[in-house]
Amino acid sequence: MVNEALRRVPNSDGDANIDKVNQIRDSLAVMGDNNTAFSLPQPHLHRTKLCDMKDVELDPDYVNKREQLKEVVASIIRPKIVQGKFLNGKEFVLFFEQILDALNQGEIPSTGSLVEVFNKGILERCLKLYTEQMANIVLPMQGESLQKAHGQQRDAAMSVFGEQHFGRRHARKSVDQLEAEIEKVYKDIRLANEYQSSKLCEAMYTRCEDKMDELQALRLPSMAKFNASFLQCNQSFERECVGPSNSYYQQRMMKMLGKSKSLFIKEYNQRLLKWLVVFSLVMVVLGRFVIKFFLVELGAWILFVFLETYTRMFWSDDSLYFNPVWNSFLATWETLVYNPILDLDRWAIPICVVAAIVVVNWRCYRRMRHGPRWSLPVYRNHKDRSN
């Protein structure tokens, strides 16, 4: 039926519902005068069971109208040709389902998907720009400086994306994705910065710890040398240990240096006192067997007795170490042991060996040239006295 569905229905009774239907028909008729419409009566009163009913159970008028509708549709539609092949109804339905699946999965580009494809390329370029700029940063560095560099490079990448992206509504999604990708890269950079900082600070801490252990084992203890090495190690640590691990390792460093200094000061005076005792005994041996001078041996014995008896009986540790005489000795000791010209801790043994060789050669030379002679005539022969 052509235009049958668009004809006005007579309304002699003035029914308002019929007037509304006629208004709808008039509106549809305005849209075009070459329309085909077909109306079907109600198949059955039980509408929820229509799918389970057979044609014999349906209204005969509905069945007749349905067959007429099939003929009308068959006369109107044209066969679909896909890749040069005519499709029947089942093939067309299968093809239509494939088209819908492709649309739902985004395989067929739409306006939005095309915008996303263009923005994806721009997103990748901006992300690459951010990554390359952040790769030029030398790690480790302070967290505030890294955060500042991240903010600058992120703003630069977002500015480039804002100038080159397509669309508005679809660009918002790409902007969020770019921010998420930048945050992922920045997270990896933060982890790398923490690792590099921890590695560098651990190396500096270990180096200073080894240095403090070496100072504890000095052959000739020197407070000036310890303080100089202590200051140098502390300054090197503050200058080279940078990054987020600085605060943690700085606490460990201060604790370790404090313990090392306390231990060194505690052992310093005791070791010097022992060195004086050893020196007095060495001078006793030299005075008797090498130099063979009685006064040298006597002075060495007096120093040995004084250090072993008088200091222990009448001087406590505090009174000894704060005594002006002891402090004068410490000043002389520091001047000799640690000075800009010669470090006796390193050259003490070679100097002693050379001195011993010189003394032995000197003694041998004198004995060969003048014969044996005592420095003091301790013994005399009776025959010499009578003569």
Side-chain angles (χ1 to χ4, degrees), residues 313-363:
M313 294 175 60
F314 300 100
W315 284 358
S316 63
D317 293 342
D318 295 337
S319 60
L320 172 64
Y321 300 146
F322 291 98
N323 189 277
V325 178
W326 180 256
N327 291 330
S328 300
F329 165 73
L330 291 182
T332 305
W333 171 265
E334 292 292 342
T335 303
L336 293 175
V337 173
Y338 184 72
N339 56 79
I341 300 175
L342 183 64
D343 186 4
L344 284 183
D345 185 71
R346 178 179 299 177
W347 297 101
I349 294 179
I351 290 175
C352 291
V353 172
V354 172
I357 294 174
V358 171
V359 171
V360 171
N361 291 333
W362 175 71
R363 291 291 299 170

Short mmCIF file of all heavy atoms in Angstrom, two decimals, residues 313-363:
data_model
loop_
_atom_site.label_atom_id
_atom_site.label_comp_id
_atom_site.label_asym_id
_atom_site.label_seq_id
_atom_site.Cartn_x
_atom_site.Cartn_y
_atom_site.Cartn_z
N MET A 313 101.67 6.35 90.16
CA MET A 313 101.43 6.52 91.60
C MET A 313 100.84 7.88 91.94
O MET A 313 99.97 7.99 92.80
CB MET A 313 102.74 6.31 92.37
CG MET A 313 103.28 4.89 92.31
SD MET A 313 104.89 4.72 93.09
CE MET A 313 104.49 5.25 94.77
N PHE A 314 101.29 8.92 91.26
CA PHE A 314 100.93 10.27 91.68
C PHE A 314 100.08 11.02 90.65
O PHE A 314 99.51 12.06 90.97
CB PHE A 314 102.21 11.08 91.98
CG PHE A 314 103.05 10.49 93.06
CD1 PHE A 314 104.18 9.74 92.75
CD2 PHE A 314 102.71 10.66 94.40
CE1 PHE A 314 104.96 9.20 93.75
CE2 PHE A 314 103.50 10.12 95.40
CZ PHE A 314 104.62 9.37 95.08
N TRP A 315 100.04 10.55 89.41
CA TRP A 315 99.25 11.22 88.37
C TRP A 315 98.16 10.29 87.88
O TRP A 315 98.41 9.13 87.51
CB TRP A 315 100.14 11.63 87.18
CG TRP A 315 101.00 12.82 87.45
CD1 TRP A 315 101.04 13.57 88.58
CD2 TRP A 315 101.96 13.38 86.56
NE1 TRP A 315 101.95 14.56 88.48
CE2 TRP A 315 102.54 14.48 87.24
CE3 TRP A 315 102.40 13.08 85.27
CZ2 TRP A 315 103.53 15.28 86.66
CZ3 TRP A 315 103.38 13.87 84.70
CH2 TRP A 315 103.94 14.97 85.40
N SER A 316 96.94 10.82 87.88
CA SER A 316 95.85 10.09 87.23
C SER A 316 95.87 10.37 85.74
O SER A 316 96.67 11.18 85.24
CB SER A 316 94.50 10.48 87.85
OG SER A 316 94.25 11.86 87.60
N ASP A 317 94.97 9.70 85.01
CA ASP A 317 94.93 9.93 83.57
C ASP A 317 94.61 11.38 83.23
O ASP A 317 95.22 11.99 82.36
CB ASP A 317 93.90 9.00 82.92
CG ASP A 317 94.35 7.55 83.01
OD1 ASP A 317 95.55 7.32 83.24
OD2 ASP A 317 93.48 6.66 82.85
N ASP A 318 93.65 11.95 83.96
CA ASP A 318 93.27 13.33 83.68
C ASP A 318 94.40 14.30 84.00
O ASP A 318 94.70 15.21 83.22
CB ASP A 318 92.01 13.70 84.47
CG ASP A 318 90.80 12.88 84.02
OD1 ASP A 318 90.83 12.39 82.87
OD2 ASP A 318 89.86 12.74 84.82
N SER A 319 95.01 14.12 85.16
CA SER A 319 96.09 15.04 85.55
C SER A 319 97.30 14.90 84.65
O SER A 319 98.01 15.88 84.39
CB SER A 319 96.48 14.79 87.01
OG SER A 319 96.94 13.45 87.18
N LEU A 320 97.54 13.66 84.15
CA LEU A 320 98.67 13.48 83.24
C LEU A 320 98.41 14.13 81.89
O LEU A 320 99.24 14.88 81.37
CB LEU A 320 98.96 11.98 83.06
CG LEU A 320 99.99 11.63 81.98
CD1 LEU A 320 101.36 12.20 82.34
CD2 LEU A 320 100.06 10.13 81.79
N TYR A 321 97.24 13.86 81.31
CA TYR A 321 96.97 14.30 79.95
C TYR A 321 96.68 15.78 79.85
O TYR A 321 96.77 16.35 78.77
CB TYR A 321 95.81 13.49 79.37
CG TYR A 321 96.08 12.01 79.34
CD1 TYR A 321 95.07 11.08 79.54
CD2 TYR A 321 97.38 11.53 79.14
CE1 TYR A 321 95.33 9.72 79.53
CE2 TYR A 321 97.65 10.18 79.13
CZ TYR A 321 96.62 9.28 79.33
OH TYR A 321 96.89 7.94 79.32
N PHE A 322 96.36 16.42 81.01
CA PHE A 322 96.14 17.87 80.99
C PHE A 322 97.30 18.62 81.65
O PHE A 322 97.20 19.82 81.88
CB PHE A 322 94.83 18.22 81.71
CG PHE A 322 93.61 17.77 80.96
CD1 PHE A 322 92.98 16.58 81.30
CD2 PHE A 322 93.10 18.51 79.92
CE1 PHE A 322 91.86 16.15 80.61
CE2 PHE A 322 91.98 18.10 79.22
CZ PHE A 322 91.36 16.91 79.56
N ASN A 323 98.38 17.92 81.92
CA ASN A 323 99.55 18.55 82.51
C ASN A 323 100.26 19.40 81.46
O ASN A 323 100.38 19.00 80.30
CB ASN A 323 100.50 17.46 83.03
CG ASN A 323 101.63 18.05 83.85
OD1 ASN A 323 102.62 18.50 83.29
ND2 ASN A 323 101.47 18.04 85.16
N PRO A 324 100.73 20.60 81.82
CA PRO A 324 101.43 21.45 80.83
C PRO A 324 102.64 20.77 80.20
O PRO A 324 102.92 20.97 79.01
CB PRO A 324 101.81 22.69 81.65
CG PRO A 324 100.85 22.72 82.79
CD PRO A 324 100.56 21.28 83.12
N VAL A 325 103.39 19.99 81.02
CA VAL A 325 104.56 19.31 80.47
C VAL A 325 104.14 18.29 79.42
O VAL A 325 104.75 18.17 78.34
CB VAL A 325 105.35 18.63 81.61
CG1 VAL A 325 106.55 17.85 81.04
CG2 VAL A 325 105.81 19.65 82.63
N TRP A 326 103.06 17.56 79.72
CA TRP A 326 102.55 16.57 78.76
C TRP A 326 102.04 17.24 77.50
O TRP A 326 102.25 16.74 76.39
CB TRP A 326 101.47 15.73 79.42
CG TRP A 326 100.88 14.69 78.53
CD1 TRP A 326 99.67 14.75 77.90
CD2 TRP A 326 101.46 13.45 78.15
NE1 TRP A 326 99.46 13.62 77.16
CE2 TRP A 326 100.55 12.79 77.29
CE3 TRP A 326 102.67 12.82 78.45
CZ2 TRP A 326 100.80 11.56 76.73
CZ3 TRP A 326 102.92 11.58 77.89
CH2 TRP A 326 102.01 10.96 77.04
N ASN A 327 101.38 18.37 77.65
CA ASN A 327 100.88 19.09 76.48
C ASN A 327 102.02 19.62 75.63
O ASN A 327 101.93 19.64 74.39
CB ASN A 327 99.97 20.24 76.92
CG ASN A 327 98.66 19.75 77.51
OD1 ASN A 327 98.16 18.70 77.14
ND2 ASN A 327 98.11 20.51 78.45
N SER A 328 103.10 20.04 76.27
CA SER A 328 104.27 20.48 75.50
C SER A 328 104.87 19.32 74.73
O SER A 328 105.28 19.47 73.56
CB SER A 328 105.32 21.08 76.44
OG SER A 328 104.80 22.19 77.14
N PHE A 329 104.91 18.16 75.39
CA PHE A 329 105.40 16.97 74.69
C PHE A 329 104.50 16.62 73.51
O PHE A 329 104.99 16.25 72.43
CB PHE A 329 105.47 15.80 75.67
CG PHE A 329 105.62 14.47 74.99
CD1 PHE A 329 106.83 14.11 74.40
CD2 PHE A 329 104.55 13.59 74.91
CE1 PHE A 329 106.96 12.89 73.76
CE2 PHE A 329 104.67 12.37 74.28
CZ PHE A 329 105.89 12.02 73.70
N LEU A 330 103.16 16.75 73.69
CA LEU A 330 102.24 16.45 72.59
C LEU A 330 102.45 17.40 71.41
O LEU A 330 102.40 16.98 70.25
CB LEU A 330 100.79 16.54 73.08
CG LEU A 330 100.32 15.47 74.06
CD1 LEU A 330 98.86 15.70 74.41
CD2 LEU A 330 100.51 14.08 73.50
N ALA A 331 102.69 18.68 71.71
CA ALA A 331 102.91 19.64 70.63
C ALA A 331 104.18 19.30 69.85
O ALA A 331 104.20 19.35 68.61
CB ALA A 331 103.00 21.06 71.20
N THR A 332 105.23 18.94 70.59
CA THR A 332 106.48 18.55 69.92
C THR A 332 106.28 17.28 69.11
O THR A 332 106.78 17.15 67.97
CB THR A 332 107.59 18.36 70.97
OG1 THR A 332 107.72 19.55 71.75
CG2 THR A 332 108.91 18.04 70.30
N TRP A 333 105.56 16.34 69.69
CA TRP A 333 105.30 15.06 69.01
C TRP A 333 104.53 15.27 67.71
O TRP A 333 104.87 14.70 66.67
CB TRP A 333 104.53 14.15 69.95
CG TRP A 333 104.02 12.89 69.31
CD1 TRP A 333 102.77 12.68 68.79
CD2 TRP A 333 104.73 11.67 69.10
NE1 TRP A 333 102.65 11.42 68.28
CE2 TRP A 333 103.86 10.76 68.46
CE3 TRP A 333 106.04 11.25 69.38
CZ2 TRP A 333 104.23 9.48 68.10
CZ3 TRP A 333 106.41 9.96 69.03
CH2 TRP A 333 105.53 9.10 68.39
N GLU A 334 103.49 16.10 67.75
CA GLU A 334 102.68 16.35 66.56
C GLU A 334 103.50 17.05 65.48
O GLU A 334 103.34 16.77 64.29
CB GLU A 334 101.46 17.20 66.91
CG GLU A 334 100.43 16.49 67.78
CD GLU A 334 99.73 15.37 67.06
OE1 GLU A 334 99.76 15.33 65.81
OE2 GLU A 334 99.14 14.50 67.74
N THR A 335 104.40 17.95 65.91
CA THR A 335 105.24 18.65 64.93
C THR A 335 106.18 17.69 64.23
O THR A 335 106.43 17.80 63.02
CB THR A 335 106.03 19.76 65.62
OG1 THR A 335 105.12 20.65 66.28
CG2 THR A 335 106.86 20.54 64.61
N LEU A 336 106.71 16.72 64.99
CA LEU A 336 107.66 15.77 64.40
C LEU A 336 106.96 14.72 63.55
O LEU A 336 107.43 14.38 62.46
CB LEU A 336 108.47 15.09 65.51
CG LEU A 336 109.43 15.99 66.30
CD1 LEU A 336 110.08 15.21 67.43
CD2 LEU A 336 110.50 16.59 65.38
N VAL A 337 105.85 14.20 64.05
CA VAL A 337 105.22 13.06 63.39
C VAL A 337 104.45 13.48 62.15
O VAL A 337 104.54 12.84 61.09
CB VAL A 337 104.29 12.32 64.38
CG1 VAL A 337 103.49 11.23 63.66
CG2 VAL A 337 105.12 11.71 65.49
N TYR A 338 103.65 14.56 62.25
CA TYR A 338 102.80 14.96 61.13
C TYR A 338 103.12 16.39 60.76
O TYR A 338 102.75 17.33 61.47
CB TYR A 338 101.33 14.81 61.49
CG TYR A 338 100.38 15.11 60.36
CD1 TYR A 338 100.25 14.23 59.29
CD2 TYR A 338 99.62 16.27 60.35
CE1 TYR A 338 99.39 14.50 58.24
CE2 TYR A 338 98.75 16.55 59.30
CZ TYR A 338 98.64 15.65 58.26
OH TYR A 338 97.78 15.93 57.22
N ASN A 339 103.84 16.58 59.67
CA ASN A 339 104.20 17.91 59.20
C ASN A 339 104.14 17.91 57.69
O ASN A 339 104.13 16.85 57.05
CB ASN A 339 105.59 18.30 59.70
CG ASN A 339 106.64 17.28 59.30
OD1 ASN A 339 107.11 17.29 58.16
ND2 ASN A 339 107.02 16.39 60.23
N PRO A 340 104.09 19.09 57.08
CA PRO A 340 103.97 19.15 55.61
C PRO A 340 105.17 18.56 54.87
O PRO A 340 105.06 18.23 53.69
CB PRO A 340 103.84 20.65 55.33
CG PRO A 340 103.39 21.26 56.62
CD PRO A 340 104.00 20.43 57.69
N ILE A 341 106.31 18.44 55.54
CA ILE A 341 107.51 17.99 54.85
C ILE A 341 107.62 16.47 54.85
O ILE A 341 107.87 15.83 53.83
CB ILE A 341 108.76 18.62 55.50
CG1 ILE A 341 108.66 20.15 55.42
CG2 ILE A 341 110.03 18.11 54.84
CD1 ILE A 341 109.79 20.87 56.13
N LEU A 342 107.40 15.85 56.03
CA LEU A 342 107.65 14.42 56.16
C LEU A 342 106.61 13.80 57.08
O LEU A 342 106.35 14.32 58.18
CB LEU A 342 109.05 14.17 56.71
CG LEU A 342 109.50 12.71 56.83
CD1 LEU A 342 109.59 12.08 55.44
CD2 LEU A 342 110.85 12.63 57.54
N ASP A 343 106.03 12.70 56.63
CA ASP A 343 105.08 11.94 57.44
C ASP A 343 105.83 10.76 58.06
O ASP A 343 106.10 9.76 57.39
CB ASP A 343 103.92 11.46 56.56
CG ASP A 343 102.83 10.79 57.39
OD1 ASP A 343 102.94 10.79 58.64
OD2 ASP A 343 101.85 10.27 56.80
N LEU A 344 106.14 10.90 59.35
CA LEU A 344 106.93 9.87 60.01
C LEU A 344 106.19 8.54 60.13
O LEU A 344 106.84 7.50 60.26
CB LEU A 344 107.36 10.34 61.41
CG LEU A 344 108.49 11.36 61.46
CD1 LEU A 344 108.86 11.67 62.90
CD2 LEU A 344 109.71 10.86 60.71
N ASP A 345 104.88 8.57 60.13
CA ASP A 345 104.14 7.30 60.22
C ASP A 345 104.45 6.41 59.02
O ASP A 345 104.44 5.19 59.14
CB ASP A 345 102.64 7.58 60.31
CG ASP A 345 101.85 6.31 60.52
OD1 ASP A 345 101.91 5.75 61.62
OD2 ASP A 345 101.19 5.87 59.55
N ARG A 346 104.71 7.01 57.89
CA ARG A 346 105.03 6.25 56.68
C ARG A 346 106.52 5.95 56.57
O ARG A 346 106.91 4.88 56.09
CB ARG A 346 104.55 7.01 55.45
CG ARG A 346 104.86 6.34 54.13
CD ARG A 346 104.34 7.16 52.97
NE ARG A 346 102.89 7.33 53.04
CZ ARG A 346 102.19 8.06 52.16
NH1 ARG A 346 102.80 8.68 51.17
NH2 ARG A 346 100.88 8.18 52.31
N TRP A 347 107.37 6.90 57.04
CA TRP A 347 108.82 6.77 56.82
C TRP A 347 109.59 6.43 58.08
O TRP A 347 110.83 6.44 58.06
CB TRP A 347 109.38 8.08 56.24
CG TRP A 347 108.80 8.41 54.91
CD1 TRP A 347 107.82 9.31 54.63
CD2 TRP A 347 109.18 7.84 53.66
NE1 TRP A 347 107.54 9.35 53.30
CE2 TRP A 347 108.37 8.44 52.67
CE3 TRP A 347 110.11 6.87 53.27
CZ2 TRP A 347 108.48 8.12 51.32
CZ3 TRP A 347 110.21 6.55 51.93
CH2 TRP A 347 109.40 7.16 50.98
N ALA A 348 108.91 6.14 59.18
CA ALA A 348 109.62 5.88 60.44
C ALA A 348 110.50 4.65 60.34
O ALA A 348 111.69 4.67 60.72
CB ALA A 348 108.61 5.73 61.57
N ILE A 349 109.94 3.56 59.83
CA ILE A 349 110.72 2.31 59.74
C ILE A 349 111.89 2.46 58.77
O ILE A 349 113.03 2.08 59.10
CB ILE A 349 109.79 1.15 59.35
CG1 ILE A 349 108.78 0.89 60.47
CG2 ILE A 349 110.61 -0.11 59.06
CD1 ILE A 349 107.81 -0.23 60.18
N PRO A 350 111.69 2.98 57.55
CA PRO A 350 112.87 3.18 56.69
C PRO A 350 113.94 4.06 57.30
O PRO A 350 115.14 3.80 57.16
CB PRO A 350 112.28 3.80 55.42
CG PRO A 350 110.86 3.35 55.41
CD PRO A 350 110.46 3.31 56.84
N ILE A 351 113.53 5.13 58.02
CA ILE A 351 114.51 6.02 58.63
C ILE A 351 115.28 5.29 59.72
O ILE A 351 116.51 5.43 59.84
CB ILE A 351 113.80 7.27 59.19
CG1 ILE A 351 113.30 8.15 58.03
CG2 ILE A 351 114.74 8.06 60.09
CD1 ILE A 351 112.49 9.35 58.49
N CYS A 352 114.57 4.48 60.52
CA CYS A 352 115.24 3.73 61.58
C CYS A 352 116.22 2.72 61.00
O CYS A 352 117.34 2.52 61.52
CB CYS A 352 114.21 3.02 62.46
SG CYS A 352 113.21 4.14 63.46
N VAL A 353 115.85 2.07 59.92
CA VAL A 353 116.75 1.10 59.29
C VAL A 353 117.98 1.80 58.76
O VAL A 353 119.14 1.34 58.96
CB VAL A 353 116.01 0.35 58.17
CG1 VAL A 353 116.99 -0.51 57.37
CG2 VAL A 353 114.89 -0.52 58.75
N VAL A 354 117.80 2.92 58.09
CA VAL A 354 118.95 3.67 57.56
C VAL A 354 119.84 4.16 58.69
O VAL A 354 121.09 4.09 58.62
CB VAL A 354 118.46 4.84 56.68
CG1 VAL A 354 119.63 5.74 56.28
CG2 VAL A 354 117.74 4.31 55.45
N ALA A 355 119.20 4.67 59.78
CA ALA A 355 120.00 5.14 60.92
C ALA A 355 120.79 4.01 61.55
O ALA A 355 121.97 4.19 61.94
CB ALA A 355 119.08 5.80 61.94
N ALA A 356 120.16 2.84 61.68
CA ALA A 356 120.88 1.70 62.25
C ALA A 356 122.06 1.30 61.39
O ALA A 356 123.16 0.99 61.90
CB ALA A 356 119.91 0.52 62.42
N ILE A 357 121.88 1.30 60.07
CA ILE A 357 122.99 0.96 59.16
C ILE A 357 124.11 1.97 59.28
O ILE A 357 125.31 1.62 59.33
CB ILE A 357 122.47 0.87 57.72
CG1 ILE A 357 121.48 -0.31 57.58
CG2 ILE A 357 123.63 0.71 56.75
CD1 ILE A 357 120.82 -0.37 56.22
N VAL A 358 123.75 3.25 59.37
CA VAL A 358 124.77 4.30 59.50
C VAL A 358 125.55 4.15 60.79
O VAL A 358 126.80 4.26 60.83
CB VAL A 358 124.10 5.68 59.40
CG1 VAL A 358 125.12 6.79 59.76
CG2 VAL A 358 123.56 5.91 58.00
N VAL A 359 124.83 3.87 61.91
CA VAL A 359 125.50 3.73 63.20
C VAL A 359 126.44 2.53 63.20
O VAL A 359 127.58 2.58 63.69
CB VAL A 359 124.46 3.62 64.33
CG1 VAL A 359 125.13 3.24 65.64
CG2 VAL A 359 123.73 4.94 64.49
N VAL A 360 125.97 1.41 62.65
CA VAL A 360 126.81 0.21 62.60
C VAL A 360 128.06 0.45 61.75
O VAL A 360 129.19 0.09 62.14
CB VAL A 360 126.00 -0.99 62.07
CG1 VAL A 360 126.92 -2.18 61.81
CG2 VAL A 360 124.92 -1.38 63.06
N ASN A 361 127.89 1.08 60.61
CA ASN A 361 129.05 1.38 59.77
C ASN A 361 130.01 2.34 60.46
O ASN A 361 131.25 2.20 60.36
CB ASN A 361 128.60 1.98 58.44
CG ASN A 361 127.90 0.96 57.56
OD1 ASN A 361 128.16 -0.24 57.68
ND2 ASN A 361 127.03 1.42 56.67
N TRP A 362 129.43 3.30 61.15
CA TRP A 362 130.28 4.27 61.87
C TRP A 362 131.09 3.60 62.96
O TRP A 362 132.28 3.87 63.14
CB TRP A 362 129.39 5.38 62.42
CG TRP A 362 130.13 6.38 63.28
CD1 TRP A 362 131.03 7.32 62.87
CD2 TRP A 362 130.04 6.50 64.70
NE1 TRP A 362 131.50 8.04 63.92
CE2 TRP A 362 130.89 7.56 65.08
CE3 TRP A 362 129.30 5.85 65.68
CZ2 TRP A 362 131.05 7.96 66.40
CZ3 TRP A 362 129.45 6.24 66.98
CH2 TRP A 362 130.31 7.28 67.35
N ARG A 363 130.41 2.68 63.71
CA ARG A 363 131.11 1.97 64.77
C ARG A 363 132.20 1.06 64.20
O ARG A 363 133.32 1.00 64.74
CB ARG A 363 130.11 1.14 65.57
CG ARG A 363 129.13 1.95 66.41
CD ARG A 363 129.80 2.63 67.56
NE ARG A 363 130.40 1.66 68.46
CZ ARG A 363 131.23 1.97 69.45
NH1 ARG A 363 131.57 3.23 69.65
NH2 ARG A 363 131.74 1.02 70.23
#
